[in-house]
Amino acid sequence: MSRVTVPRRDLLAAVLVLAVLWVPPITTAGDWGRICAGIVLAALTGAALVFNRRAPVAATAAVAVTTLAGAAAGVCQDPMLATAWCLYLVAVERGPRARTLVIALVGVLAGLAAVTGVSPGLGTRLVVATAALCSAWLVGTAVGRQVASARESERMRVQLKVAREVHDVVGHTLGVIAAEAGVTRGLPDVPEAELRETLADIESHARDALEEMQGLVHTLRNPGPALSGLPAIIATTRAAGVAVHARVEPHGPVDAEVGAAVVRIAQEALSNVVRHAPRARCTVELWEAQETIALRVHDGGAPGTTPASPGAGHGLRGMRERAAALGGTVVWGGTAEGGFEVEARLPMRRS
């Protein structure tokens, strides 16, 4: 059986409203009929205030009705403050969608306040009620817009993260598969044993990509492969026919998110080598420099190929976005020898 929890601020608001605005006029009502009516109305008001987060619209309507009924019976001195408290939550959730209705309501209240201003008691109460309701709605609407904006930003962040992960995993694997298939097809009279070995490699790469995709679908909170996954990426690239020379300096433990970013950036850079310069020699360097971890992927270019232009493609932009999210940088460009180089630097953030 679930336990019903009540926010302390709602409970405190209910106690203050009842103690200050209901109890004094009820105790001085004079006859038992008005006292009993005041007690019932006060109980309903308190219950609506306590549970207003479960049904904000119903709670607002209920408090407004009990407040007006209590004021008419002379057992309530609340100038719609309790109603404004409940209205705030309605504004947070539904403010932008109910603007016309609220403007009309505020206009009616303002008109009543102006007309009855000659009566000090009623006029003052209407002015206070109008101010309380308008303030609650305006503040609640502003907060609601901020909440909606934050939710949209988070949704876009998650969507962009998923897009980058899918691009890195699928793009790298398909590039390796295409390279292996192309090399095998280009060889005349391929022996059956070599053909079977190539098909086995393609199957293995496809299964690995499928497993990574399944892991990504099941848990978006997983930052990705740790830095220890870099050798596997390099080995996969070598299997595609690229001569990769790795120089990885010893380093201490690295934050999992930073390590995942390094691996993904290396994966995308090596994928570009497989796609654009499959016959080039490639160097992968990883080292520490002044509390940062640095990665450089450099290829010498291949005859008859054109290096990717700076800023082209989703993969290069994804590298920059991934690094920027962690406070790092990624730069790339062609070299004088006709090759291409990617260099990333990210804060170490020891784990």
Side-chain angles (χ1 to χ4, degrees):
M1 185 174 181
S2 61
R3 180 182 177 183
V4 178
T5 58
V6 178
R8 291 183 179 180
R9 55 180 175 273
D10 290 336
L11 185 60
L12 179 61
V15 171
L16 289 176
V17 167
L18 296 180
V20 176
L21 301 175
W22 282 87
V23 172
I26 289 176
T27 56
T28 58
D31 60 88
W32 283 103
R34 292 171 59 197
I35 292 175
C36 291
I39 292 174
V40 172
L41 292 173
L44 293 175
T45 300
L49 286 171
V50 168
F51 297 106
N52 74 311
R53 296 181 188 276
R54 292 178 174 269
V57 176
T60 302
V63 172
V65 170
T66 57
T67 299
L68 292 176
V75 292
C76 177
Q77 298 174 342
D78 181 11
M80 306 300 285
L81 296 180
T83 306
W85 177 268
C86 296
L87 183 64
Y88 166 80
L89 193 60
V90 177
V92 170
E93 296 181 354
R94 308 188 181 189
R97 299 192 297 270
R99 184 178 301 175
T100 303
L101 176 61
V102 172
I103 291 175
L105 178 60
V106 169
V108 172
L109 289 174
L112 289 174
V115 171
T116 58
V118 294
S119 175
L122 183 58
T124 301
R125 181 170 295 185
L126 282 174
V127 169
V128 174
T130 302
L133 294 174
C134 290
S135 299
W137 186 264
L138 292 175
V139 174
T141 301
V143 172
R145 288 198 184 100
Q146 292 179 352
V147 171
S149 177
R151 288 174 179 170
E152 179 64 16
S153 298
E154 177 63 15
R155 186 188 70 81
M156 293 297 295
R157 187 191 68 81
V158 172
Q159 186 177 17
L160 182 60
K161 177 182 177 181
V162 173
R164 284 198 301 261
E165 295 288 342
V166 171
H167 176 274
D168 291 346
V169 172
V170 176
H172 178 74
T173 303
L174 290 182
V176 171
I177 290 175
E180 290 186 333
V183 170
T184 304
R185 187 188 63 177
L187 296 176
D189 301 327
V190 182
E192 182 180 352
E194 185 175 346
L195 181 61
R196 288 182 177 277
E197 183 179 354
T198 301
L199 291 176
D201 288 341
I202 291 175
E203 180 185 9
S204 175
H205 297 326
R207 289 185 183 276
D208 291 342
L210 180 60
E211 290 178 0
E212 286 199 60
M213 287 297 300
Q214 290 174 339
L216 179 62
V217 170
H218 284 91
T219 170
L220 294 177
R221 294 185 180 274
N222 182 16
L227 193 57
S228 58
L230 183 59
I233 300 296
I234 295 174
T236 301
T237 307
R238 286 171 176 158
V242 178
V244 181
H245 176 63
R247 290 201 296 262
V248 179
E249 294 185 1
H251 54 79
V254 179
D255 178 79
E257 194 171 9
V258 173
V262 171
V263 171
R264 289 306 189 200
I265 292 171
Q267 186 177 45
E268 175 58 25
L270 291 172
S271 295
N272 288 337
V273 175
V274 172
R275 286 192 292 265
H276 302 294
R279 296 184 301 278
R281 293 185 62 83
C282 179
T283 301
V284 177
E285 299 175 273
L286 184 71
W287 73 97
E288 293 183 24
Q290 298 178 350
E291 294 303 318
T292 64
I293 185 167
L295 169 75
R296 181 185 296 125
V297 179
H298 170 81
D299 70 81
T305 61
T306 302
S309 59
H314 296 288
L316 294 175
R317 290 199 298 270
M319 290 183 192
R320 180 166 288 168
E321 292 168 354
R322 190 185 294 276
L326 300 174
T329 59
V330 175
V331 294
W332 58 77
T335 63
E337 297 79 12
F340 197 77
E341 183 174 281
V342 175
E343 182 172 319
R345 291 179 180 270
L346 291 87
M348 182 64 71
R349 282 170 53 178
R350 304 284 186 181
S351 60

